[in-house]
Amino acid sequence: MTAFGIAPLAPDAAELPRRTLVETVPMADISAQLDELASHAIGLTRAEATRSSDTPDSLLKRAGAFDPAAAAFLRTDPLARRVFQGRAGKMVHLTADASGQVQKIVVRFPAEKVEQQGSHFTRLTIARDGAQFSARTETAPLQAQVALGSGTIRSSLFAATDDANIPDAIASQMADMFSGDIDFHRELRKGDRFSIVYEMLTADGEPITWDGGVGRLLAGEFTNNGKTYSAVYFKDSATGKASFYGFDGQSKRRAFLSSPMEFSRITSGFAMRFHPIMQTWRQHNGVDYGAPTGTAVRSVGDGTVEVAGWQNGFGNVVQVRHSGDRSTVYAHLSKIDVKKGQRVEQGQRIGAVGSTGWATGPHLHFEFRVGGRHVDPRAIARASEAVTLPNYAKAQFQQTVASVKTQLAVAETMDGVSAAD
Ligand SMILES: [Zn+2]
């Protein structure tokens, strides 16, 4: 991603945009403009993200700079070298003069201390002073901004969230928010729609691009197969506990999740290759989820591990006993992460998808049994008991719902900009 003239809405004046060049400028005018810019000693700032293959030379070149001295500094200075250490995706703002000489490089990336990474970032500033360069780092707080998004499912959830520029982590939180209502692996329909309100974390006013740097999903509305579900993130100020609730005040947390795998870009792509008709639980007492070997498998409810080992046909299998004489079975695992007799919580990882036992390819075979009899897992997830918000929190909750309803209504109008039907 290269953007000429993009500058962050930075709080400090030194970072404010200096000039914006628009792509449609006629060729003949560019040199005149550059001369003018040079005569005013105005720098051109380019935004870039680091790549894992980057070297000082490749990064400078991509950012429109040619500066062997700057490249040498990036190679040798202990602070400057951090641009190329660790994970890619660091946000680079490089300011060069008209001849391509580096004036300043500001690089933003996750805070050094792990416990600060959800709230702070590192700002590395490399500045030219005559023929020399200097580098310094600071730790600064991330800022949360409220963002709105909406979309319509045409091929997959992630295609729709990509179109709406919604980060993957927020898409996953959306699947989690409605995981008691919709099995995103199996029940998404073309034409399903969603609107969401979420927190976007920014560093110096710019949405951060590195992994894991995503805020919280605050509210959402999802229409699946003609039925609309709504939810809001709400923190009970008395207990400090936060959870997703329906607009009616019922907790979205159910005794059982609708899917034994977290919904992700990887599992969603895989699931699309399976024909839904072939997936009915009646045919073999379970539900099969196609997913790559190694995909995490989670317990759909709290319980105790009853079986963790090898069984003919099932291969590596885990069986979890839940309250009310209910149990769940997870088969063909490549790896088992729990032991017999162990307590597990809802959502806890118990193993990984594989193709052990009688399996033609990597998939998870999942069963739900009540009193030893097989039942349709989806029916169980829906019917399972929900928690209602305590009375004292209701007034505050109603206020929250009223404000997110307004935001969701605005978000909804944003879809259709790219709608083709
Ligand atoms: Zn199966």
Side-chain angles (χ1 to χ4, degrees), residues 2-30:
T2 305
F4 218 78
I6 272 197
L9 298 169
D12 63 318
E15 295 300 315
L16 288 174
R18 291 175 170 87
R19 188 79 173 192
T20 304
L21 269 188
V22 184
E23 276 184 335
T24 51
V25 169
M27 286 304 287
D29 288 341
I30 285 181

PDB file of all heavy atoms in Angstrom, residues 2-30:
ATOM      1  N   THR A   2       0.736   2.020  -1.017  1.00  0.00           N
ATOM      2  CA  THR A   2       1.524   3.244  -1.087  1.00  0.00           C
ATOM      3  C   THR A   2       0.568   4.403  -1.235  1.00  0.00           C
ATOM      4  O   THR A   2      -0.344   4.361  -2.043  1.00  0.00           O
ATOM      5  CB  THR A   2       2.441   3.208  -2.312  1.00  0.00           C
ATOM      6  OG1 THR A   2       3.226   2.033  -2.245  1.00  0.00           O
ATOM      7  CG2 THR A   2       3.339   4.421  -2.352  1.00  0.00           C
ATOM      8  N   ALA A   3       0.765   5.388  -0.436  1.00  0.00           N
ATOM      9  CA  ALA A   3      -0.090   6.558  -0.568  1.00  0.00           C
ATOM     10  C   ALA A   3       0.781   7.786  -0.533  1.00  0.00           C
ATOM     11  O   ALA A   3       1.521   8.013   0.397  1.00  0.00           O
ATOM     12  CB  ALA A   3      -1.102   6.596   0.566  1.00  0.00           C
ATOM     13  N   PHE A   4       0.690   8.533  -1.562  1.00  0.00           N
ATOM     14  CA  PHE A   4       1.510   9.729  -1.672  1.00  0.00           C
ATOM     15  C   PHE A   4       0.821  10.871  -0.969  1.00  0.00           C
ATOM     16  O   PHE A   4      -0.352  11.131  -1.179  1.00  0.00           O
ATOM     17  CB  PHE A   4       1.701  10.071  -3.157  1.00  0.00           C
ATOM     18  CG  PHE A   4       3.082  10.569  -3.436  1.00  0.00           C
ATOM     19  CD1 PHE A   4       4.125   9.663  -3.519  1.00  0.00           C
ATOM     20  CD2 PHE A   4       3.334  11.916  -3.593  1.00  0.00           C
ATOM     21  CE1 PHE A   4       5.402  10.102  -3.784  1.00  0.00           C
ATOM     22  CE2 PHE A   4       4.599  12.362  -3.853  1.00  0.00           C
ATOM     23  CZ  PHE A   4       5.644  11.456  -3.952  1.00  0.00           C
ATOM     24  N   GLY A   5       1.550  11.528  -0.102  1.00  0.00           N
ATOM     25  CA  GLY A   5       0.985  12.719   0.521  1.00  0.00           C
ATOM     26  C   GLY A   5       0.087  12.428   1.698  1.00  0.00           C
ATOM     27  O   GLY A   5      -0.417  13.347   2.299  1.00  0.00           O
ATOM     28  N   ILE A   6      -0.084  11.143   2.032  1.00  0.00           N
ATOM     29  CA  ILE A   6      -0.894  10.836   3.210  1.00  0.00           C
ATOM     30  C   ILE A   6      -0.129  11.236   4.444  1.00  0.00           C
ATOM     31  O   ILE A   6       1.065  10.999   4.552  1.00  0.00           O
ATOM     32  CB  ILE A   6      -1.238   9.337   3.278  1.00  0.00           C
ATOM     33  CG1 ILE A   6      -2.516   9.102   2.484  1.00  0.00           C
ATOM     34  CG2 ILE A   6      -1.431   8.865   4.715  1.00  0.00           C
ATOM     35  CD1 ILE A   6      -3.177   7.796   2.777  1.00  0.00           C
ATOM     36  N   ALA A   7      -0.780  11.886   5.342  1.00  0.00           N
ATOM     37  CA  ALA A   7      -0.127  12.224   6.596  1.00  0.00           C
ATOM     38  C   ALA A   7      -1.102  11.965   7.717  1.00  0.00           C
ATOM     39  O   ALA A   7      -2.301  12.093   7.543  1.00  0.00           O
ATOM     40  CB  ALA A   7       0.297  13.691   6.595  1.00  0.00           C
ATOM     41  N   PRO A   8      -0.598  11.539   8.870  1.00  0.00           N
ATOM     42  CA  PRO A   8      -1.495  11.210   9.978  1.00  0.00           C
ATOM     43  C   PRO A   8      -2.122  12.468  10.566  1.00  0.00           C
ATOM     44  O   PRO A   8      -1.540  13.552  10.497  1.00  0.00           O
ATOM     45  CB  PRO A   8      -0.564  10.551  10.982  1.00  0.00           C
ATOM     46  CG  PRO A   8       0.771  11.167  10.708  1.00  0.00           C
ATOM     47  CD  PRO A   8       0.807  11.428   9.236  1.00  0.00           C
ATOM     48  N   LEU A   9      -3.284  12.288  11.174  1.00  0.00           N
ATOM     49  CA  LEU A   9      -3.894  13.388  11.911  1.00  0.00           C
ATOM     50  C   LEU A   9      -3.235  13.403  13.282  1.00  0.00           C
ATOM     51  O   LEU A   9      -3.823  13.062  14.288  1.00  0.00           O
ATOM     52  CB  LEU A   9      -5.393  13.169  12.037  1.00  0.00           C
ATOM     53  CG  LEU A   9      -6.128  13.132  10.707  1.00  0.00           C
ATOM     54  CD1 LEU A   9      -7.547  12.651  10.895  1.00  0.00           C
ATOM     55  CD2 LEU A   9      -6.106  14.497  10.052  1.00  0.00           C
ATOM     56  N   ALA A  10      -1.982  13.763  13.270  1.00  0.00           N
ATOM     57  CA  ALA A  10      -1.192  13.626  14.485  1.00  0.00           C
ATOM     58  C   ALA A  10      -1.445  14.782  15.428  1.00  0.00           C
ATOM     59  O   ALA A  10      -1.696  15.900  14.992  1.00  0.00           O
ATOM     60  CB  ALA A  10       0.283  13.591  14.128  1.00  0.00           C
ATOM     61  N   PRO A  11      -1.376  14.499  16.723  1.00  0.00           N
ATOM     62  CA  PRO A  11      -1.637  15.558  17.685  1.00  0.00           C
ATOM     63  C   PRO A  11      -0.513  16.595  17.768  1.00  0.00           C
ATOM     64  O   PRO A  11      -0.766  17.754  18.052  1.00  0.00           O
ATOM     65  CB  PRO A  11      -1.775  14.818  19.015  1.00  0.00           C
ATOM     66  CG  PRO A  11      -1.107  13.503  18.795  1.00  0.00           C
ATOM     67  CD  PRO A  11      -1.201  13.204  17.335  1.00  0.00           C
ATOM     68  N   ASP A  12       0.730  16.181  17.447  1.00  0.00           N
ATOM     69  CA  ASP A  12       1.787  17.187  17.558  1.00  0.00           C
ATOM     70  C   ASP A  12       2.015  17.846  16.204  1.00  0.00           C
ATOM     71  O   ASP A  12       1.956  17.213  15.162  1.00  0.00           O
ATOM     72  CB  ASP A  12       3.087  16.582  18.115  1.00  0.00           C
ATOM     73  CG  ASP A  12       3.675  15.532  17.227  1.00  0.00           C
ATOM     74  OD1 ASP A  12       2.862  14.720  16.701  1.00  0.00           O
ATOM     75  OD2 ASP A  12       4.884  15.500  17.031  1.00  0.00           O
ATOM     76  N   ALA A  13       2.246  19.140  16.242  1.00  0.00           N
ATOM     77  CA  ALA A  13       2.296  19.952  15.036  1.00  0.00           C
ATOM     78  C   ALA A  13       3.356  19.468  14.056  1.00  0.00           C
ATOM     79  O   ALA A  13       3.187  19.574  12.840  1.00  0.00           O
ATOM     80  CB  ALA A  13       2.569  21.412  15.404  1.00  0.00           C
ATOM     81  N   ALA A  14       4.433  18.907  14.578  1.00  0.00           N
ATOM     82  CA  ALA A  14       5.522  18.459  13.714  1.00  0.00           C
ATOM     83  C   ALA A  14       5.069  17.351  12.771  1.00  0.00           C
ATOM     84  O   ALA A  14       5.673  17.131  11.730  1.00  0.00           O
ATOM     85  CB  ALA A  14       6.687  17.966  14.573  1.00  0.00           C
ATOM     86  N   GLU A  15       3.977  16.645  13.157  1.00  0.00           N
ATOM     87  CA  GLU A  15       3.539  15.513  12.360  1.00  0.00           C
ATOM     88  C   GLU A  15       2.405  15.878  11.411  1.00  0.00           C
ATOM     89  O   GLU A  15       1.891  15.028  10.707  1.00  0.00           O
ATOM     90  CB  GLU A  15       3.074  14.389  13.284  1.00  0.00           C
ATOM     91  CG  GLU A  15       4.163  13.793  14.141  1.00  0.00           C
ATOM     92  CD  GLU A  15       5.256  13.221  13.280  1.00  0.00           C
ATOM     93  OE1 GLU A  15       4.971  12.533  12.315  1.00  0.00           O
ATOM     94  OE2 GLU A  15       6.433  13.512  13.582  1.00  0.00           O
ATOM     95  N   LEU A  16       1.971  17.115  11.420  1.00  0.00           N
ATOM     96  CA  LEU A  16       0.814  17.484  10.607  1.00  0.00           C
ATOM     97  C   LEU A  16       1.149  17.404   9.113  1.00  0.00           C
ATOM     98  O   LEU A  16       2.296  17.575   8.722  1.00  0.00           O
ATOM     99  CB  LEU A  16       0.346  18.901  10.958  1.00  0.00           C
ATOM    100  CG  LEU A  16      -0.345  19.006  12.323  1.00  0.00           C
ATOM    101  CD1 LEU A  16      -0.654  20.451  12.659  1.00  0.00           C
ATOM    102  CD2 LEU A  16      -1.629  18.186  12.345  1.00  0.00           C
ATOM    103  N   PRO A  17       0.144  17.125   8.289  1.00  0.00           N
ATOM    104  CA  PRO A  17       0.405  16.994   6.866  1.00  0.00           C
ATOM    105  C   PRO A  17       0.977  18.288   6.295  1.00  0.00           C
ATOM    106  O   PRO A  17       0.557  19.380   6.664  1.00  0.00           O
ATOM    107  CB  PRO A  17      -0.969  16.693   6.266  1.00  0.00           C
ATOM    108  CG  PRO A  17      -1.954  17.019   7.326  1.00  0.00           C
ATOM    109  CD  PRO A  17      -1.251  16.906   8.633  1.00  0.00           C
ATOM    110  N   ARG A  18       1.895  18.135   5.400  1.00  0.00           N
ATOM    111  CA  ARG A  18       2.538  19.327   4.850  1.00  0.00           C
ATOM    112  C   ARG A  18       1.988  19.664   3.488  1.00  0.00           C
ATOM    113  O   ARG A  18       1.889  20.799   3.103  1.00  0.00           O
ATOM    114  CB  ARG A  18       4.043  19.073   4.753  1.00  0.00           C
ATOM    115  CG  ARG A  18       4.701  18.980   6.106  1.00  0.00           C
ATOM    116  CD  ARG A  18       6.165  18.615   5.942  1.00  0.00           C
ATOM    117  NE  ARG A  18       6.866  18.753   7.209  1.00  0.00           N
ATOM    118  CZ  ARG A  18       6.941  17.802   8.123  1.00  0.00           C
ATOM    119  NH1 ARG A  18       6.354  16.643   7.888  1.00  0.00           N
ATOM    120  NH2 ARG A  18       7.589  17.984   9.246  1.00  0.00           N
ATOM    121  N   ARG A  19       1.642  18.648   2.741  1.00  0.00           N
ATOM    122  CA  ARG A  19       1.229  18.877   1.370  1.00  0.00           C
ATOM    123  C   ARG A  19       0.518  17.623   0.897  1.00  0.00           C
ATOM    124  O   ARG A  19       0.902  16.536   1.247  1.00  0.00           O
ATOM    125  CB  ARG A  19       2.489  19.100   0.511  1.00  0.00           C
ATOM    126  CG  ARG A  19       2.215  19.531  -0.889  1.00  0.00           C
ATOM    127  CD  ARG A  19       1.894  21.009  -0.916  1.00  0.00           C
ATOM    128  NE  ARG A  19       1.793  21.495  -2.284  1.00  0.00           N
ATOM    129  CZ  ARG A  19       1.743  22.794  -2.572  1.00  0.00           C
ATOM    130  NH1 ARG A  19       1.828  23.690  -1.607  1.00  0.00           N
ATOM    131  NH2 ARG A  19       1.615  23.191  -3.824  1.00  0.00           N
ATOM    132  N   THR A  20      -0.488  17.786   0.108  1.00  0.00           N
ATOM    133  CA  THR A  20      -1.136  16.615  -0.461  1.00  0.00           C
ATOM    134  C   THR A  20      -1.006  16.647  -1.971  1.00  0.00           C
ATOM    135  O   THR A  20      -1.352  17.630  -2.603  1.00  0.00           O
ATOM    136  CB  THR A  20      -2.631  16.578  -0.076  1.00  0.00           C
ATOM    137  OG1 THR A  20      -2.713  16.626   1.338  1.00  0.00           O
ATOM    138  CG2 THR A  20      -3.285  15.319  -0.581  1.00  0.00           C
ATOM    139  N   LEU A  21      -0.455  15.596  -2.529  1.00  0.00           N
ATOM    140  CA  LEU A  21      -0.385  15.486  -3.978  1.00  0.00           C
ATOM    141  C   LEU A  21      -1.489  14.544  -4.417  1.00  0.00           C
ATOM    142  O   LEU A  21      -1.639  13.464  -3.878  1.00  0.00           O
ATOM    143  CB  LEU A  21       0.961  14.892  -4.405  1.00  0.00           C
ATOM    144  CG  LEU A  21       2.098  15.868  -4.682  1.00  0.00           C
ATOM    145  CD1 LEU A  21       3.258  15.105  -5.283  1.00  0.00           C
ATOM    146  CD2 LEU A  21       1.645  16.969  -5.631  1.00  0.00           C
ATOM    147  N   VAL A  22      -2.244  14.939  -5.402  1.00  0.00           N
ATOM    148  CA  VAL A  22      -3.330  14.103  -5.891  1.00  0.00           C
ATOM    149  C   VAL A  22      -2.848  13.376  -7.139  1.00  0.00           C
ATOM    150  O   VAL A  22      -2.096  13.932  -7.937  1.00  0.00           O
ATOM    151  CB  VAL A  22      -4.576  14.959  -6.195  1.00  0.00           C
ATOM    152  CG1 VAL A  22      -5.753  14.089  -6.618  1.00  0.00           C
ATOM    153  CG2 VAL A  22      -4.937  15.794  -4.986  1.00  0.00           C
ATOM    154  N   GLU A  23      -3.290  12.128  -7.312  1.00  0.00           N
ATOM    155  CA  GLU A  23      -2.809  11.295  -8.406  1.00  0.00           C
ATOM    156  C   GLU A  23      -3.122  11.858  -9.787  1.00  0.00           C
ATOM    157  O   GLU A  23      -2.434  11.578 -10.739  1.00  0.00           O
ATOM    158  CB  GLU A  23      -3.440   9.909  -8.294  1.00  0.00           C
ATOM    159  CG  GLU A  23      -2.703   9.002  -7.341  1.00  0.00           C
ATOM    160  CD  GLU A  23      -3.307   7.619  -7.351  1.00  0.00           C
ATOM    161  OE1 GLU A  23      -4.494   7.499  -7.681  1.00  0.00           O
ATOM    162  OE2 GLU A  23      -2.586   6.675  -7.039  1.00  0.00           O
ATOM    163  N   THR A  24      -4.177  12.639  -9.886  1.00  0.00           N
ATOM    164  CA  THR A  24      -4.618  13.092 -11.193  1.00  0.00           C
ATOM    165  C   THR A  24      -3.861  14.323 -11.701  1.00  0.00           C
ATOM    166  O   THR A  24      -4.209  14.879 -12.712  1.00  0.00           O
ATOM    167  CB  THR A  24      -6.121  13.427 -11.164  1.00  0.00           C
ATOM    168  OG1 THR A  24      -6.335  14.299 -10.055  1.00  0.00           O
ATOM    169  CG2 THR A  24      -6.965  12.194 -11.019  1.00  0.00           C
ATOM    170  N   VAL A  25      -2.840  14.713 -10.987  1.00  0.00           N
ATOM    171  CA  VAL A  25      -2.025  15.840 -11.464  1.00  0.00           C
ATOM    172  C   VAL A  25      -1.412  15.488 -12.821  1.00  0.00           C
ATOM    173  O   VAL A  25      -0.832  14.429 -12.975  1.00  0.00           O
ATOM    174  CB  VAL A  25      -0.896  16.147 -10.449  1.00  0.00           C
ATOM    175  CG1 VAL A  25       0.109  17.127 -11.044  1.00  0.00           C
ATOM    176  CG2 VAL A  25      -1.478  16.713  -9.161  1.00  0.00           C
ATOM    177  N   PRO A  26      -1.579  16.359 -13.831  1.00  0.00           N
ATOM    178  CA  PRO A  26      -1.013  16.052 -15.155  1.00  0.00           C
ATOM    179  C   PRO A  26       0.514  15.947 -15.078  1.00  0.00           C
ATOM    180  O   PRO A  26       1.142  16.652 -14.290  1.00  0.00           O
ATOM    181  CB  PRO A  26      -1.417  17.258 -16.002  1.00  0.00           C
ATOM    182  CG  PRO A  26      -2.471  17.971 -15.227  1.00  0.00           C
ATOM    183  CD  PRO A  26      -2.255  17.633 -13.797  1.00  0.00           C
ATOM    184  N   MET A  27       1.083  15.093 -15.926  1.00  0.00           N
ATOM    185  CA  MET A  27       2.514  14.832 -15.905  1.00  0.00           C
ATOM    186  C   MET A  27       3.342  16.125 -15.998  1.00  0.00           C
ATOM    187  O   MET A  27       4.310  16.303 -15.301  1.00  0.00           O
ATOM    188  CB  MET A  27       2.903  13.918 -17.076  1.00  0.00           C
ATOM    189  CG  MET A  27       2.496  12.473 -16.898  1.00  0.00           C
ATOM    190  SD  MET A  27       3.150  11.744 -15.377  1.00  0.00           S
ATOM    191  CE  MET A  27       4.877  11.583 -15.845  1.00  0.00           C
ATOM    192  N   ALA A  28       2.911  17.006 -16.899  1.00  0.00           N
ATOM    193  CA  ALA A  28       3.690  18.205 -17.160  1.00  0.00           C
ATOM    194  C   ALA A  28       3.852  19.074 -15.921  1.00  0.00           C
ATOM    195  O   ALA A  28       4.818  19.810 -15.779  1.00  0.00           O
ATOM    196  CB  ALA A  28       3.045  19.009 -18.274  1.00  0.00           C
ATOM    197  N   ASP A  29       2.892  18.963 -15.017  1.00  0.00           N
ATOM    198  CA  ASP A  29       2.925  19.846 -13.864  1.00  0.00           C
ATOM    199  C   ASP A  29       3.796  19.344 -12.718  1.00  0.00           C
ATOM    200  O   ASP A  29       4.083  20.076 -11.792  1.00  0.00           O
ATOM    201  CB  ASP A  29       1.509  20.059 -13.338  1.00  0.00           C
ATOM    202  CG  ASP A  29       0.709  20.954 -14.288  1.00  0.00           C
ATOM    203  OD1 ASP A  29       1.346  21.667 -15.096  1.00  0.00           O
ATOM    204  OD2 ASP A  29      -0.518  20.913 -14.211  1.00  0.00           O
ATOM    205  N   ILE A  30       4.174  18.071 -12.784  1.00  0.00           N
ATOM    206  CA  ILE A  30       4.851  17.488 -11.628  1.00  0.00           C
ATOM    207  C   ILE A  30       6.180  18.166 -11.335  1.00  0.00           C
ATOM    208  O   ILE A  30       6.458  18.538 -10.203  1.00  0.00           O
ATOM    209  CB  ILE A  30       5.050  15.965 -11.810  1.00  0.00           C
ATOM    210  CG1 ILE A  30       3.686  15.279 -11.591  1.00  0.00           C
ATOM    211  CG2 ILE A  30       6.055  15.414 -10.810  1.00  0.00           C
ATOM    212  CD1 ILE A  30       3.725  13.796 -11.722  1.00  0.00           C
TER     213      ILE A  30
END
